[in-house]
Amino acid sequence: MRNNLPTLIVFVAMGLLPLVTSDYWTSQLNYYLIYGLFAMSLSLTWGYGGILCLGQAIFFGIGAYVMAVTTKGMLDPIPTSFYLGLLLAMMAGAAFAALLGYFLFAGRGIHGAYLAIITLAIAMVLERLMSNWYELGGYNGLLDIPPINLALFGDPIDIWDPLPTFYILWGIVFTIALWLSWLTQSDVGLKLIALRTNPDRLPYFGFRPLTIRLQVFCLSAAIAALAGALFVTIDGFASPTLIGFGLSTEVLIWVAIGGKEVLIAAFLGAVLTRLTESWLSEIFGDYWILILGTLFMISVVLLPKGLIASLIDWLQKPRKST
Amino acid sequence: MDILIPLVDASSYILILVLIALGLMIIFGMMGVINMAHGELFMLGAYVMVMAQSLSLPFWLGIVLAPIVVGAIGLVIEYCLIRHIYLRPIDTILATWGLSIALKQAIVLLFGPEAQSVVTPISSTLTVGEFSYPLYRLLVMGISLFLIGGTFWLFLKTDFGLMARAVIARPDTAATLGINTRRMYRWSFVIGTALAGLAGALIAPTISVDPQMGLGYLVPGFLSILVGGAGPLAGVLVGGTAVGGTNSLLTVWISPVAAQIAVFILAILIIRLRPEGILGGRREK
């Protein structure tokens, strides 16, 4: 439980925020929670599993589109259910990751920088594909996606207000964050670290690197797809930009700035980058992106572990020595 | 006769792609740096031409200035950024990605987000029988061929090339033999960026120049390297021909978007099935 402390503190503090902020900021926080969840999914596959996926938005986008078509009732025999949408989105994300992962990792496989470039190319292909898939709205995307609907059967219980939406999302993201935190500190986490640092020696201990790699890739994809699915319920809009290059870049920056090897640091990286962005982009206007790019370069050079992960390390150090 | 023009179009695209991929390959092969900002350096070359035109400088002066300006920017980038991280290959992806964002936005701030155009210096066409083709494009092909040849000559026939190949093969041994590896790295980076700048300048009159143009050349450039094989420089020729040629020729029959999707998928399949590339050779991580 000891290393869950930062996660608990962050989420409890975040859970209190909407009580003091305006509705506008609460609805912003809703987005931050989802981006944070998305960032944790990349941290899992990249920071823990050592699989640098430059196309993480592939899974976010798949989740978003599956959720959209389910809740809009576009899959005829399948009922329009929020829960079913989430489930199908996660299953679709994981299934695509399983296929893609098997294709990429089996045998001698593709790793490191090669994998990064190939996943980037795949994200670009999918973005083009979605832009031209007219049944799914093509370039314009899908509009009017229903909000969170808590009803299991019968009359819908739509959640439109930012505050209840916040606590539903907070509950989901908090649960997953705690579970992942626990998971990465268990034997599974140990296997993942072994996979990242020395995959060639794993077979000596009776583990198949391919199996572990596929497991972490699929789990990460399912979480990214869940983030995508939740995103369209609050945004009401699914477009090709959710699946492609731009969003993949952004999540990479959040995770790298926060710290890829600590889940909660990746989460905070997303939240803080978005927060700073909405603040500073008003002050600096178009210069903000220039500043972001520069800050990112500096943080990669000076703090390779990430800003927040380095901070957490530093905070925990004196306690260890006593 | 119908197939001749697509073939010439394909060759012209291939040559530009090979120029870009050569720059990427030199930087990657030499320092292990994955330069995600290479597309933006290519874009900078095109914007040097936009600048030159707005200052009403002669066109060919712009072509000479572009590699010098972009190479100088490359030198600054090497000094400020690359030399700190070239031992951390994955971090080079991230840092140069940040660089590409910054460069793109700097261009938006200076020139605006809209597309610019550069006027062709030679508007005449070459006509042989039924075949007619813009003379400028043929000239660009000639210059590209010359540059590609020149780069090969530099790396295969000169003392600099010998030292560079020594550094690529065994950096430690090369350093022990008195080769200044740091300086080799720096100059390879500058040569790579200057090539990208020159390619951008040459292509500028034939395309619309905008801040987003880099990415459309970066990814095919990388795929060319991977398809061709990361070993020798010759791999870039094969990879560039395969990726660029398939793309241009498919565009004749199917839409450009479908062609690009098909090429990316084909390239990914080839890279997966032959990780060492078409030409084979040693596979690096």
Side-chain angles (χ1 to χ4, degrees):
Chain A
M1 207 57 199
R2 62 188 197 292
N3 287 331
N4 287 338
L5 198 63
T7 312
L8 284 169
I9 295 171
V10 166
F11 274 92
V12 170
M14 215 172 156
L16 296 173
L17 269 181
L19 301 175
V20 291
T21 54
S22 63
D23 262 9
Y24 169 76
W25 279 106
T26 307
S27 65
Q28 291 301 106
L29 281 175
N30 290 341
Y31 284 99
Y32 300 163
L33 277 172
I34 289 170
Y35 291 135
L37 181 65
F38 184 34
M40 284 194 290
S41 81
L42 182 61
S43 164
L44 190 66
T45 174
W46 175 28
Y48 287 85
I51 304 166
L52 175 51
C53 179
L54 286 200
Q56 190 71 2
I58 295 169
F59 309 112
F60 188 89
I62 288 175
Y65 272 99
V66 170
M67 186 71 182
V69 294
T70 316
T71 53
K72 275 174 82 74
M74 289 167 78
L75 307 169
D76 199 16
I78 295 175
T80 59
S81 155
F82 170 73
Y83 301 105
L84 194 63
L86 290 185
L87 188 69
L88 287 178
M90 290 174 76
M91 281 165 57
F96 190 74
L99 282 175
L100 191 65
Y102 191 77
F103 170 72
L104 293 173
F105 306 139
R108 275 183 301 164
I110 299 172
H111 306 289
Y114 282 36
L115 185 74
I117 291 158
I118 290 194
T119 48
L120 175 66
I122 294 170
M124 286 176 75
V125 166
L126 285 178
E127 188 172 357
R128 299 262 157 83
L129 212 60
M130 294 317 287
S131 302
N132 288 281
W133 191 339
Y134 297 107
E135 288 79 11
L136 291 181
Y139 186 74
N140 297 317
L142 293 169
L143 290 162
D144 300 326
I145 296 156
I148 295 174
N149 172 13
L150 288 181
L152 262 178
F153 304 102
D155 294 335
I157 309 171
D158 286 345
I159 308 292
W160 292 98
D161 290 328
L163 199 64
T165 309
F166 175 84
Y167 283 107
I168 293 164
L169 293 176
W170 182 80
I172 296 173
V173 179
F174 192 12
T175 312
I176 291 175
L178 270 184
W179 179 65
L180 284 180
S181 177
W182 167 81
L183 190 74
T184 48
Q185 287 168 50
S186 68
D187 294 356
V188 179
L190 213 55
K191 273 195 278 182
L192 286 179
I193 293 167
L195 179 71
R196 181 183 74 215
T197 49
N198 217 328
D200 300 334
R201 292 202 187 151
L202 266 175
Y204 299 151
F205 298 96
F207 297 114
R208 286 183 72 206
L210 176 65
T211 316
I212 307 173
R213 212 169 254 142
L214 282 177
Q215 282 166 349
V216 67
F217 198 53
C218 289
L219 177 62
S220 150
I223 294 169
L226 174 68
L230 291 171
F231 182 87
V232 292
T233 62
I234 66 164
D235 205 48
F237 180 46
S239 72
T241 53
L242 297 185
I243 208 165
F245 171 78
L247 190 65
S248 298
T249 322
E250 281 184 65
V251 69
L252 192 81
I253 292 178
W254 305 334
V255 172
I257 285 183
K260 59 182 185 293
E261 287 159 26
V262 183
L263 286 165
I264 193 66
F267 176 87
L268 278 179
V271 173
L272 293 181
T273 315
R274 287 325 300 251
L275 196 68
T276 339
E277 197 164 297
S278 53
W279 241 341
L280 294 187
S281 63
E282 278 174 32
I283 303 171
F284 292 106
D286 287 341
Y287 286 90
W288 163 242
I289 302 175
L290 189 67
I291 297 170
L292 180 71
T294 315
L295 284 179
F296 182 51
M297 276 188 274
I298 295 172
S299 84
V300 171
V301 173
L302 297 181
L303 293 168
K305 280 183 133 181
L307 188 68
I308 293 157
S310 303
L311 194 71
I312 294 177
D313 266 5
W314 181 76
L315 283 175
Q316 284 185 333
K317 233 166 220 153
R319 216 170 302 138
K320 272 178 200 162
S321 61
T322 51
Chain B
M1 197 46 66
D2 292 337
I3 191 67
L4 193 57
I5 292 200
L7 274 180
V8 182
D9 275 342
S11 318
S12 117
Y13 181 60
I14 288 169
L15 287 169
I16 288 295
L17 202 56
V18 168
L19 271 184
I20 293 169
L22 259 183
L24 274 174
M25 184 64 231
I26 292 169
I27 294 168
F28 178 52
M30 193 86 173
M31 324 169 67
V33 169
I34 320 280
N35 184 15
M36 302 302 283
H38 206 72
E40 277 62 41
L41 294 163
F42 170 79
M43 170 198 76
L44 285 183
Y47 271 93
V48 170
M49 296 309 288
V50 173
M51 249 322 235
Q53 189 174 267
S54 69
L55 296 172
S56 51
L57 294 176
F59 181 85
W60 298 105
L61 182 63
I63 293 286
V64 176
L65 277 177
I68 297 174
V69 172
V70 179
I73 295 172
L75 194 62
V76 175
I77 294 170
E78 206 280 340
Y79 185 80
C80 296
L81 184 65
I82 306 294
R83 74 189 174 108
H84 300 290
I85 50 168
Y86 70 91
L87 292 174
R88 307 178 343 218
I90 298 299
D91 282 352
T92 63
I93 297 183
L94 303 176
T96 53
W97 206 322
L99 177 66
S100 85
I101 293 168
L103 287 177
K104 220 181 290 180
Q105 192 61 21
I107 288 294
V108 170
L109 289 167
L110 286 172
F111 295 89
E114 65 277 357
Q116 312 271 345
S117 62
V118 173
V119 178
T120 318
I122 306 164
S123 50
S124 55
T125 53
L126 179 82
T127 310
V128 179
E130 281 177 65
F131 171 79
S132 76
Y133 205 76
L135 196 59
Y136 178 74
R137 283 168 161 263
L138 292 173
L139 202 63
V140 167
M141 289 168 67
I143 297 172
S144 307
L145 262 180
F146 177 76
L147 284 171
I148 293 164
T151 311
F152 274 80
W153 174 79
L154 181 68
F155 277 88
L156 298 178
K157 296 285 177 203
T158 63
D159 284 353
F160 173 83
L162 188 66
M163 286 196 283
R165 282 179 290 137
V167 174
I168 292 172
R170 290 277 150 79
D172 299 342
T173 316
T176 322
L177 289 171
I179 296 174
N180 186 340
T181 50
R182 281 291 318 129
R183 212 177 63 195
M184 296 304 293
Y185 288 156
R186 178 177 315 141
W187 289 109
S188 320
F189 192 79
V190 172
I191 291 170
T193 52
L195 272 178
L198 189 50
L202 284 171
I203 200 88
T206 63
I207 57 170
S208 77
V209 177
D210 69 75
Q212 308 301 329
M213 64 187 270
L215 189 66
Y217 288 87
L218 176 79
V219 175
F222 265 123
L223 291 180
S224 302
I225 293 182
L226 301 186
V227 165
L233 286 175
V236 176
L237 286 184
V238 178
T241 309
V243 172
T246 325
N247 194 355
S248 310
L249 293 180
L250 278 178
T251 308
V252 180
W253 292 290
I254 52 181
S255 76
V257 175
Q260 194 162 36
I261 293 174
V263 170
F264 276 25
I265 292 172
L266 269 177
I268 291 165
L269 281 174
I270 294 177
I271 295 163
R272 181 62 188 86
L273 297 174
R274 269 191 78 86
E276 57 288 287
I278 293 175
L279 276 195
R282 187 164 47 91
R283 186 191 168 204
E284 288 170 47
K285 253 200 167 171

